Amino acid sequence: MKRLSRSHQEETIPEILEWYELQRELIALEKRRVMNSLLQGPPLSEPLYVGMTEDDVNDFFEKQRETLDDYTKLGLMSATEAAIRIDFADRVENRWKDALSRRFRDVRKEYGNRASLEEQILDVWVSFEAGTKTAINELRQALPLRHWLAHGRYWTLKSGGRYKVGNVYDICEQTLRDMKLM
Amino acid sequence: MTKNELHDFFVKKQKDADAAGKGVDWEARKAEWKQATEDFYKLVSGFISDLSHEGLVKVSYRPKQVVEQYLGTYEVREMVLLAGGEEVVFSPMGRNIVGAVGRIDLIGEMAEATFVLFPDQGWKVLMHPGRKSVPLTQENFAEVLRNVMRK
């Protein structure tokens, strides 16, 4: 079986959270700069902002924050998937002797590198490491949000609104901690 | 955060907001802005005076309330053009505008357009896409008006 060609460019979820907090701060600073200009000058000349009312500025920066939140949620869930898949590859390629790794080798034989996170990898985790069940169930419930974000948000997502960035981070962190990948 | 700390936090926020509004004569700003909307209507009325005289366009006005930070709630007039059974409205959006000192939107049945007042350059039309601004001339005005109306 072909070994996983790793990029070593994956991000950790704390790194993503740190980036997110910096971006939020930058958005807040930029909004303050624009609002200050709107009320007292000096006038801004960036075409992006010229002509905006106070409500427009509020709506514009609210949209920036929503977009940032969406990309961050996607980043967190993608990073979590990457950590789980790297662990899967390590267990298979290094022929670890524990029961979970042995089962993963069977999965790899059957599905190759196309083993599904949801259909195969997470199922095996729950079967062999009962302590991960609660966190993985939570992660599974959040995965439709990840698919929706990753595939261009073109369908109506019923349950996505309830996940804030903090919720997604907590779910990802708990999953990785319970799997001892963090 | 204790109740007292929360109180202090909100007091500081209020002070910051008050300080941001100090040093500006908001009443004078409001008066200038209201006058600017009337001047704009005169300018536009001039552009369409021939059409008005021919009875092709009927001009009327109606009050509009605007609410803005530091300026409070105030009344301006909207200018309404009625042409061939179709109404287009010039609606003042506010004095506190990024990079400018006032904005009036033109709301038609097919689209909207934006006029922005710059301190040293007068009224301009904000073009989309790109938000480039071009001087408000009779020619530009005619084009903008056609764009927002049914063909």
Side-chain angles (χ1 to χ4, degrees):
Chain A
M1 187 69 62
K2 199 177 167 193
R3 291 177 72 89
L4 173 68
S5 171
R6 273 189 70 180
S7 68
H8 297 283
Q9 290 180 328
E10 58 273 9
E11 288 181 296
T12 65
I13 61 169
E15 284 169 347
I16 292 170
L17 190 65
E18 190 177 81
W19 171 82
Y20 168 73
E21 285 166 352
L22 174 64
Q23 301 311 308
R24 274 203 72 126
E25 184 67 27
L26 292 174
I27 288 172
L29 285 171
E30 178 66 352
K31 181 181 173 184
R32 202 173 309 156
R33 184 177 78 94
V34 175
M35 275 296 187
N36 284 342
S37 160
L38 179 144
L39 293 170
Q40 292 198 318
L44 294 180
S45 56
E46 290 103 309
L48 176 64
Y49 300 126
V50 168
M52 283 188 180
T53 63
E54 194 178 332
D55 285 347
D56 292 338
V57 173
N58 282 324
D59 291 347
F60 176 81
F61 284 103
E62 182 57 31
K63 179 83 181 97
Q64 301 305 310
R65 277 197 297 268
E66 284 172 9
T67 304
L68 173 65
D69 281 9
D70 280 348
Y71 280 112
T72 304
K73 289 174 206 171
L74 177 60
L76 288 168
M77 286 193 274
S78 303
T80 303
E81 177 171 354
I84 296 169
R85 284 188 175 279
I86 289 167
D87 170 74
F88 173 82
D90 283 347
R91 287 171 184 275
V92 171
E93 290 165 7
N94 298 323
R95 304 189 69 79
W96 295 0
K97 302 299 179 205
D98 59 285
L100 175 68
S101 302
R102 287 175 191 275
R103 179 70 190 109
F104 275 162
R105 285 207 288 280
D106 295 338
V107 170
R108 178 77 168 261
K109 265 183 207 150
E110 193 170 350
Y111 298 99
N113 286 330
R114 294 188 174 191
S116 154
L117 181 76
E118 283 171 88
E119 303 297 324
Q120 284 94 36
I121 298 175
L122 293 181
D123 277 357
V124 174
W125 266 104
V126 171
S127 302
F128 285 82
E129 297 288 340
T132 62
K133 187 177 175 184
T134 306
I136 286 177
N137 277 345
E138 294 245 4
L139 181 67
R140 276 188 197 283
Q141 285 176 41
L143 282 173
L145 172 64
R146 175 245 175 258
H147 303 325
W148 183 74
L149 293 168
H151 294 282
R153 304 185 274 193
Y154 66 90
W155 67 88
T156 305
L157 184 70
K158 284 179 185 149
S159 59
R162 74 171 192 258
Y163 292 106
K164 306 295 176 206
V165 169
N167 304 132
V168 173
Y169 183 86
D170 289 344
I171 290 168
C172 293
E173 183 188 42
Q174 195 58 52
T175 303
L176 295 176
R177 285 200 187 285
D178 288 354
M179 291 175 167
K180 299 185 176 53
L181 300 180
M182 190 177 167
Chain B
M1 190 180 265
T2 66
K3 205 174 165 185
N4 279 346
E5 284 170 337
L6 184 64
H7 175 264
D8 293 348
F9 175 69
F10 278 106
V11 167
K12 185 185 174 300
K13 281 190 86 65
Q14 186 59 50
K15 275 186 183 165
D16 289 348
D18 290 345
K22 273 190 181 149
V24 177
D25 186 343
W26 294 101
E27 283 305 314
R29 256 191 197 193
K30 186 162 55 185
E32 281 168 18
W33 164 232
K34 288 171 83 165
Q35 184 57 51
T37 62
E38 294 299 324
D39 294 344
F40 176 84
Y41 296 148
K42 270 185 208 151
L43 179 68
V44 168
S45 298
F47 291 157
I48 56 166
S49 60
D50 290 352
L51 299 169
S52 302
H53 288 139
E54 282 184 55
L56 293 169
V57 176
K58 265 183 85 174
V59 180
S60 61
Y61 296 90
R62 65 191 183 198
K64 177 188 178 180
Q65 277 205 338
V66 181
V67 184
E68 291 190 86
Q69 203 178 157
Y70 301 120
L71 297 174
T73 303
Y74 60 93
E75 200 165 276
V76 285
R77 296 199 304 170
E78 286 184 330
M79 186 167 102
V80 183
L81 304 186
L82 188 65
E86 187 175 351
E87 194 179 87
V88 291
V89 180
F90 294 90
S91 186
M93 302 307 289
R95 158 63 180 80
N96 293 334
I97 298 296
V98 179
V101 293
R103 174 176 139 188
I104 293 177
D105 283 3
L106 174 60
I107 302 154
E109 289 191 11
M110 297 306 291
E112 297 185 5
T114 305
F115 301 100
V116 179
L117 180 59
F118 291 94
D120 305 319
Q121 304 162 61
W123 287 98
K124 288 191 162 188
V125 187
L126 216 52
M127 307 299 281
H128 295 277
R131 300 180 71 84
K132 190 180 146 205
S133 55
V134 298
L136 176 58
T137 61
Q138 185 148 11
E139 259 183 19
N140 288 338
F141 178 76
E143 195 183 328
V144 169
L145 194 57
R146 266 204 303 269
N147 285 342
V148 303
M149 294 181 77
R150 285 197 312 262
K151 301 294 174 283

Short mmCIF file of all heavy atoms in Angstrom, two decimals, chain B residues 37-84:
data_model
loop_
_atom_site.label_atom_id
_atom_site.label_comp_id
_atom_site.label_asym_id
_atom_site.label_seq_id
_atom_site.Cartn_x
_atom_site.Cartn_y
_atom_site.Cartn_z
N THR B 37 -29.23 69.08 1.02
CA THR B 37 -30.23 68.24 0.34
C THR B 37 -31.14 69.12 -0.53
O THR B 37 -31.47 68.75 -1.65
CB THR B 37 -31.10 67.44 1.34
OG1 THR B 37 -31.84 68.35 2.17
CG2 THR B 37 -30.26 66.52 2.21
N GLU B 38 -31.48 70.30 -0.01
CA GLU B 38 -32.34 71.21 -0.79
C GLU B 38 -31.59 71.71 -2.03
O GLU B 38 -32.17 71.83 -3.11
CB GLU B 38 -32.80 72.39 0.09
CG GLU B 38 -33.72 71.97 1.24
CD GLU B 38 -35.01 71.30 0.75
OE1 GLU B 38 -35.54 71.73 -0.29
OE2 GLU B 38 -35.47 70.35 1.40
N ASP B 39 -30.30 72.02 -1.86
CA ASP B 39 -29.48 72.46 -3.00
C ASP B 39 -29.39 71.36 -4.06
O ASP B 39 -29.42 71.63 -5.26
CB ASP B 39 -28.07 72.84 -2.54
CG ASP B 39 -28.08 74.07 -1.64
OD1 ASP B 39 -29.10 74.79 -1.63
OD2 ASP B 39 -27.07 74.30 -0.93
N PHE B 40 -29.29 70.12 -3.58
CA PHE B 40 -29.24 68.97 -4.50
C PHE B 40 -30.53 68.90 -5.32
O PHE B 40 -30.50 68.70 -6.54
CB PHE B 40 -29.03 67.68 -3.71
CG PHE B 40 -29.07 66.43 -4.54
CD1 PHE B 40 -27.93 65.98 -5.20
CD2 PHE B 40 -30.25 65.69 -4.68
CE1 PHE B 40 -27.96 64.83 -5.97
CE2 PHE B 40 -30.28 64.54 -5.44
CZ PHE B 40 -29.14 64.11 -6.10
N TYR B 41 -31.67 69.09 -4.64
CA TYR B 41 -32.95 69.02 -5.35
C TYR B 41 -33.06 70.13 -6.40
O TYR B 41 -33.61 69.91 -7.48
CB TYR B 41 -34.12 69.10 -4.36
CG TYR B 41 -34.18 67.93 -3.39
CD1 TYR B 41 -34.67 68.08 -2.10
CD2 TYR B 41 -33.75 66.67 -3.78
CE1 TYR B 41 -34.72 67.02 -1.22
CE2 TYR B 41 -33.78 65.60 -2.91
CZ TYR B 41 -34.27 65.78 -1.63
OH TYR B 41 -34.31 64.71 -0.77
N LYS B 42 -32.52 71.30 -6.06
CA LYS B 42 -32.54 72.40 -7.05
C LYS B 42 -31.72 72.02 -8.27
O LYS B 42 -32.12 72.24 -9.42
CB LYS B 42 -31.94 73.67 -6.42
CG LYS B 42 -32.98 74.54 -5.74
CD LYS B 42 -32.34 75.83 -5.24
CE LYS B 42 -33.13 76.32 -4.03
NZ LYS B 42 -32.32 77.07 -3.09
N LEU B 43 -30.55 71.43 -8.01
CA LEU B 43 -29.66 71.02 -9.10
C LEU B 43 -30.35 70.01 -10.01
O LEU B 43 -30.38 70.14 -11.23
CB LEU B 43 -28.38 70.41 -8.50
CG LEU B 43 -27.31 69.90 -9.45
CD1 LEU B 43 -26.66 71.05 -10.20
CD2 LEU B 43 -26.23 69.13 -8.68
N VAL B 44 -30.94 69.01 -9.38
CA VAL B 44 -31.60 67.94 -10.14
C VAL B 44 -32.83 68.49 -10.87
O VAL B 44 -33.09 68.13 -12.02
CB VAL B 44 -31.98 66.79 -9.17
CG1 VAL B 44 -32.93 65.80 -9.86
CG2 VAL B 44 -30.73 66.07 -8.70
N SER B 45 -33.57 69.35 -10.19
CA SER B 45 -34.76 69.95 -10.84
C SER B 45 -34.35 70.69 -12.10
O SER B 45 -35.08 70.67 -13.10
CB SER B 45 -35.46 70.91 -9.88
OG SER B 45 -35.92 70.21 -8.77
N GLY B 46 -33.17 71.34 -12.04
CA GLY B 46 -32.65 72.03 -13.23
C GLY B 46 -32.39 71.06 -14.36
O GLY B 46 -32.67 71.35 -15.53
N PHE B 47 -31.86 69.88 -14.01
CA PHE B 47 -31.56 68.87 -15.04
C PHE B 47 -32.82 68.41 -15.77
O PHE B 47 -32.75 68.00 -16.93
CB PHE B 47 -30.89 67.63 -14.42
CG PHE B 47 -29.49 67.87 -13.90
CD1 PHE B 47 -28.95 67.03 -12.93
CD2 PHE B 47 -28.70 68.89 -14.39
CE1 PHE B 47 -27.67 67.22 -12.45
CE2 PHE B 47 -27.41 69.09 -13.92
CZ PHE B 47 -26.89 68.26 -12.94
N ILE B 48 -33.95 68.42 -15.05
CA ILE B 48 -35.17 67.86 -15.66
C ILE B 48 -36.23 68.93 -15.92
O ILE B 48 -37.40 68.61 -16.11
CB ILE B 48 -35.77 66.74 -14.77
CG1 ILE B 48 -36.04 67.27 -13.36
CG2 ILE B 48 -34.88 65.52 -14.74
CD1 ILE B 48 -36.93 66.36 -12.55
N SER B 49 -35.80 70.20 -15.90
CA SER B 49 -36.80 71.28 -16.01
C SER B 49 -37.61 71.19 -17.31
O SER B 49 -38.83 71.39 -17.30
CB SER B 49 -36.12 72.65 -15.87
OG SER B 49 -35.17 72.79 -16.89
N ASP B 50 -36.94 70.83 -18.41
CA ASP B 50 -37.67 70.72 -19.67
C ASP B 50 -38.76 69.67 -19.59
O ASP B 50 -39.89 69.87 -20.04
CB ASP B 50 -36.71 70.36 -20.83
CG ASP B 50 -35.78 71.52 -21.16
OD1 ASP B 50 -36.01 72.60 -20.60
OD2 ASP B 50 -34.84 71.31 -21.94
N LEU B 51 -38.39 68.54 -19.00
CA LEU B 51 -39.35 67.43 -18.89
C LEU B 51 -40.52 67.82 -17.99
O LEU B 51 -41.67 67.46 -18.25
CB LEU B 51 -38.66 66.19 -18.32
CG LEU B 51 -37.50 65.64 -19.15
CD1 LEU B 51 -36.73 64.58 -18.37
CD2 LEU B 51 -38.03 65.03 -20.45
N SER B 52 -40.20 68.58 -16.94
CA SER B 52 -41.27 69.04 -16.03
C SER B 52 -42.21 69.97 -16.75
O SER B 52 -43.44 69.86 -16.62
CB SER B 52 -40.67 69.76 -14.82
OG SER B 52 -39.80 68.92 -14.14
N HIS B 53 -41.63 70.90 -17.51
CA HIS B 53 -42.48 71.87 -18.22
C HIS B 53 -43.38 71.19 -19.24
O HIS B 53 -44.50 71.60 -19.48
CB HIS B 53 -41.61 72.94 -18.92
CG HIS B 53 -41.00 73.89 -17.93
ND1 HIS B 53 -39.70 74.34 -18.02
CD2 HIS B 53 -41.50 74.44 -16.80
CE1 HIS B 53 -39.43 75.13 -17.00
NE2 HIS B 53 -40.51 75.20 -16.24
N GLU B 54 -42.87 70.13 -19.82
CA GLU B 54 -43.69 69.39 -20.80
C GLU B 54 -44.72 68.49 -20.12
O GLU B 54 -45.53 67.84 -20.80
CB GLU B 54 -42.78 68.50 -21.67
CG GLU B 54 -42.04 69.25 -22.76
CD GLU B 54 -41.24 68.29 -23.63
OE1 GLU B 54 -41.83 67.34 -24.18
OE2 GLU B 54 -40.01 68.48 -23.72
N GLY B 55 -44.64 68.40 -18.80
CA GLY B 55 -45.59 67.56 -18.07
C GLY B 55 -45.24 66.08 -18.11
O GLY B 55 -46.04 65.23 -17.73
N LEU B 56 -44.01 65.77 -18.54
CA LEU B 56 -43.61 64.36 -18.61
C LEU B 56 -43.15 63.83 -17.25
O LEU B 56 -43.18 62.62 -17.00
CB LEU B 56 -42.47 64.19 -19.64
CG LEU B 56 -42.87 64.46 -21.09
CD1 LEU B 56 -41.65 64.52 -21.98
CD2 LEU B 56 -43.84 63.37 -21.57
N VAL B 57 -42.72 64.74 -16.42
CA VAL B 57 -42.27 64.36 -15.07
C VAL B 57 -42.96 65.25 -14.05
O VAL B 57 -42.99 66.48 -14.23
CB VAL B 57 -40.73 64.52 -14.93
CG1 VAL B 57 -40.29 64.21 -13.51
CG2 VAL B 57 -40.01 63.63 -15.91
N LYS B 58 -43.52 64.63 -13.01
CA LYS B 58 -44.12 65.42 -11.93
C LYS B 58 -43.22 65.31 -10.71
O LYS B 58 -42.79 64.21 -10.34
CB LYS B 58 -45.50 64.86 -11.58
CG LYS B 58 -46.63 65.56 -12.31
CD LYS B 58 -47.97 65.03 -11.90
CE LYS B 58 -48.47 65.72 -10.64
NZ LYS B 58 -49.85 65.28 -10.33
N VAL B 59 -42.91 66.45 -10.12
CA VAL B 59 -42.01 66.46 -8.95
C VAL B 59 -42.84 66.74 -7.70
O VAL B 59 -43.67 67.65 -7.69
CB VAL B 59 -40.93 67.55 -9.10
CG1 VAL B 59 -40.01 67.56 -7.89
CG2 VAL B 59 -40.13 67.34 -10.38
N SER B 60 -42.61 65.96 -6.66
CA SER B 60 -43.25 66.24 -5.37
C SER B 60 -42.25 65.93 -4.25
O SER B 60 -41.19 65.35 -4.49
CB SER B 60 -44.53 65.42 -5.21
OG SER B 60 -44.22 64.04 -5.25
N TYR B 61 -42.61 66.30 -3.05
CA TYR B 61 -41.72 66.09 -1.90
C TYR B 61 -42.51 65.45 -0.77
O TYR B 61 -43.72 65.64 -0.67
CB TYR B 61 -41.14 67.43 -1.42
CG TYR B 61 -40.26 68.08 -2.46
CD1 TYR B 61 -40.80 68.96 -3.40
CD2 TYR B 61 -38.91 67.79 -2.52
CE1 TYR B 61 -40.01 69.55 -4.37
CE2 TYR B 61 -38.10 68.38 -3.49
CZ TYR B 61 -38.64 69.26 -4.40
OH TYR B 61 -37.86 69.84 -5.35
N ARG B 62 -41.81 64.72 0.07
CA ARG B 62 -42.46 64.16 1.26
C ARG B 62 -41.42 64.09 2.39
O ARG B 62 -40.21 63.97 2.12
CB ARG B 62 -43.04 62.78 0.95
CG ARG B 62 -42.02 61.73 0.61
CD ARG B 62 -42.70 60.48 0.07
NE ARG B 62 -41.72 59.42 -0.18
CZ ARG B 62 -41.96 58.37 -0.95
NH1 ARG B 62 -43.11 58.22 -1.58
NH2 ARG B 62 -41.04 57.44 -1.12
N PRO B 63 -41.88 64.15 3.63
CA PRO B 63 -40.91 64.16 4.73
C PRO B 63 -40.31 62.78 5.00
O PRO B 63 -40.97 61.76 4.76
CB PRO B 63 -41.74 64.63 5.93
CG PRO B 63 -43.14 64.28 5.58
CD PRO B 63 -43.26 64.31 4.09
N LYS B 64 -39.07 62.79 5.49
CA LYS B 64 -38.42 61.55 5.91
C LYS B 64 -37.66 61.81 7.21
O LYS B 64 -37.01 62.85 7.34
CB LYS B 64 -37.43 61.09 4.83
CG LYS B 64 -36.66 59.83 5.24
CD LYS B 64 -35.53 59.47 4.29
CE LYS B 64 -34.79 58.25 4.81
NZ LYS B 64 -33.69 57.83 3.94
N GLN B 65 -37.77 60.89 8.12
CA GLN B 65 -36.99 61.01 9.36
C GLN B 65 -35.69 60.23 9.22
O GLN B 65 -35.68 59.10 8.72
CB GLN B 65 -37.78 60.44 10.53
CG GLN B 65 -38.78 61.43 11.11
CD GLN B 65 -39.11 61.14 12.56
OE1 GLN B 65 -38.93 60.03 13.03
NE2 GLN B 65 -39.58 62.14 13.27
N VAL B 66 -34.60 60.86 9.65
CA VAL B 66 -33.29 60.21 9.63
C VAL B 66 -32.76 60.20 11.06
O VAL B 66 -32.95 61.17 11.81
CB VAL B 66 -32.31 60.98 8.71
CG1 VAL B 66 -30.95 60.30 8.68
CG2 VAL B 66 -32.87 61.10 7.30
N VAL B 67 -32.12 59.10 11.44
CA VAL B 67 -31.51 59.01 12.78
C VAL B 67 -30.02 58.75 12.59
O VAL B 67 -29.64 57.81 11.89
CB VAL B 67 -32.13 57.85 13.60
CG1 VAL B 67 -31.55 57.83 15.01
CG2 VAL B 67 -33.64 57.95 13.65
N GLU B 68 -29.21 59.63 13.20
CA GLU B 68 -27.76 59.44 13.09
C GLU B 68 -27.09 59.73 14.44
O GLU B 68 -27.59 60.55 15.22
CB GLU B 68 -27.16 60.40 12.05
CG GLU B 68 -27.56 60.08 10.64
CD GLU B 68 -26.75 60.89 9.66
OE1 GLU B 68 -25.65 60.47 9.30
OE2 GLU B 68 -27.21 61.99 9.27
N GLN B 69 -25.98 59.06 14.66
CA GLN B 69 -25.23 59.27 15.89
C GLN B 69 -24.83 60.75 16.01
O GLN B 69 -24.38 61.34 15.02
CB GLN B 69 -23.98 58.39 15.89
CG GLN B 69 -23.47 58.13 17.28
CD GLN B 69 -22.25 57.21 17.31
OE1 GLN B 69 -21.51 57.24 18.26
NE2 GLN B 69 -22.03 56.39 16.31
N TYR B 70 -25.02 61.30 17.17
CA TYR B 70 -24.70 62.70 17.52
C TYR B 70 -25.66 63.71 16.88
O TYR B 70 -25.88 64.77 17.43
CB TYR B 70 -23.26 63.09 17.16
CG TYR B 70 -22.24 62.22 17.84
CD1 TYR B 70 -21.34 61.45 17.11
CD2 TYR B 70 -22.17 62.14 19.24
CE1 TYR B 70 -20.41 60.64 17.74
CE2 TYR B 70 -21.25 61.32 19.87
CZ TYR B 70 -20.37 60.58 19.12
OH TYR B 70 -19.46 59.77 19.73
N LEU B 71 -26.21 63.39 15.73
CA LEU B 71 -27.16 64.32 15.10
C LEU B 71 -28.58 64.08 15.60
O LEU B 71 -29.45 64.95 15.48
CB LEU B 71 -27.14 64.16 13.57
CG LEU B 71 -25.84 64.51 12.87
CD1 LEU B 71 -25.93 64.17 11.39
CD2 LEU B 71 -25.50 65.99 13.04
N GLY B 72 -28.81 62.90 16.13
CA GLY B 72 -30.14 62.57 16.64
C GLY B 72 -31.13 62.30 15.53
O GLY B 72 -30.76 61.97 14.40
N THR B 73 -32.41 62.49 15.86
CA THR B 73 -33.47 62.28 14.87
C THR B 73 -33.84 63.63 14.26
O THR B 73 -34.06 64.59 14.98
CB THR B 73 -34.72 61.68 15.55
OG1 THR B 73 -34.34 60.47 16.22
CG2 THR B 73 -35.82 61.38 14.54
N TYR B 74 -33.86 63.69 12.94
CA TYR B 74 -34.20 64.95 12.29
C TYR B 74 -34.99 64.67 11.01
O TYR B 74 -35.01 63.54 10.52
CB TYR B 74 -32.95 65.78 12.00
CG TYR B 74 -31.95 65.13 11.08
CD1 TYR B 74 -31.98 65.34 9.70
CD2 TYR B 74 -30.97 64.28 11.58
CE1 TYR B 74 -31.07 64.75 8.85
CE2 TYR B 74 -30.07 63.67 10.73
CZ TYR B 74 -30.10 63.91 9.38
OH TYR B 74 -29.21 63.29 8.54
N GLU B 75 -35.61 65.71 10.51
CA GLU B 75 -36.45 65.53 9.33
C GLU B 75 -35.82 66.20 8.11
O GLU B 75 -35.30 67.32 8.22
CB GLU B 75 -37.83 66.14 9.60
CG GLU B 75 -38.89 65.58 8.66
CD GLU B 75 -40.30 65.89 9.14
OE1 GLU B 75 -40.84 65.16 9.98
OE2 GLU B 75 -40.84 66.91 8.66
N VAL B 76 -35.87 65.50 6.99
CA VAL B 76 -35.46 66.08 5.71
C VAL B 76 -36.58 65.78 4.72
O VAL B 76 -37.57 65.13 5.07
CB VAL B 76 -34.14 65.45 5.19
CG1 VAL B 76 -32.94 65.96 5.94
CG2 VAL B 76 -34.21 63.93 5.23
N ARG B 77 -36.40 66.24 3.48
CA ARG B 77 -37.41 65.92 2.48
C ARG B 77 -36.86 64.92 1.47
O ARG B 77 -35.68 64.97 1.13
CB ARG B 77 -37.81 67.20 1.72
CG ARG B 77 -38.49 68.24 2.60
CD ARG B 77 -39.27 69.24 1.77
NE ARG B 77 -38.46 69.93 0.76
CZ ARG B 77 -38.98 70.69 -0.20
NH1 ARG B 77 -40.29 70.85 -0.29
NH2 ARG B 77 -38.20 71.32 -1.06
N GLU B 78 -37.72 64.04 1.05
CA GLU B 78 -37.40 63.18 -0.10
C GLU B 78 -38.02 63.83 -1.33
O GLU B 78 -39.11 64.41 -1.25
CB GLU B 78 -38.01 61.79 0.05
CG GLU B 78 -37.31 60.92 1.07
CD GLU B 78 -37.90 59.51 1.13
OE1 GLU B 78 -39.10 59.35 0.86
OE2 GLU B 78 -37.16 58.58 1.47
N MET B 79 -37.32 63.73 -2.46
CA MET B 79 -37.89 64.24 -3.70
C MET B 79 -38.38 63.05 -4.52
O MET B 79 -37.65 62.07 -4.69
CB MET B 79 -36.85 65.02 -4.49
CG MET B 79 -37.43 65.69 -5.73
SD MET B 79 -36.28 66.91 -6.43
CE MET B 79 -35.62 65.99 -7.78
N VAL B 80 -39.63 63.16 -4.99
CA VAL B 80 -40.24 62.05 -5.72
C VAL B 80 -40.51 62.50 -7.16
O VAL B 80 -41.11 63.55 -7.38
CB VAL B 80 -41.57 61.62 -5.07
CG1 VAL B 80 -42.15 60.41 -5.81
CG2 VAL B 80 -41.36 61.31 -3.59
N LEU B 81 -40.03 61.70 -8.10
CA LEU B 81 -40.35 61.97 -9.51
C LEU B 81 -41.37 60.94 -9.97
O LEU B 81 -41.18 59.73 -9.73
CB LEU B 81 -39.11 61.85 -10.40
CG LEU B 81 -37.88 62.68 -10.09
CD1 LEU B 81 -36.84 62.50 -11.19
CD2 LEU B 81 -38.24 64.15 -9.92
N LEU B 82 -42.43 61.42 -10.60
CA LEU B 82 -43.42 60.51 -11.16
C LEU B 82 -43.37 60.67 -12.68
O LEU B 82 -43.60 61.77 -13.19
CB LEU B 82 -44.81 60.84 -10.63
CG LEU B 82 -45.92 59.86 -10.98
CD1 LEU B 82 -45.66 58.49 -10.35
CD2 LEU B 82 -47.27 60.40 -10.52
N ALA B 83 -43.03 59.57 -13.35
CA ALA B 83 -42.88 59.63 -14.82
C ALA B 83 -43.49 58.39 -15.43
O ALA B 83 -43.05 57.28 -15.15
CB ALA B 83 -41.40 59.73 -15.19
N GLY B 84 -44.51 58.59 -16.24
CA GLY B 84 -45.16 57.46 -16.92
C GLY B 84 -45.66 56.41 -15.94
O GLY B 84 -45.51 55.21 -16.19
#
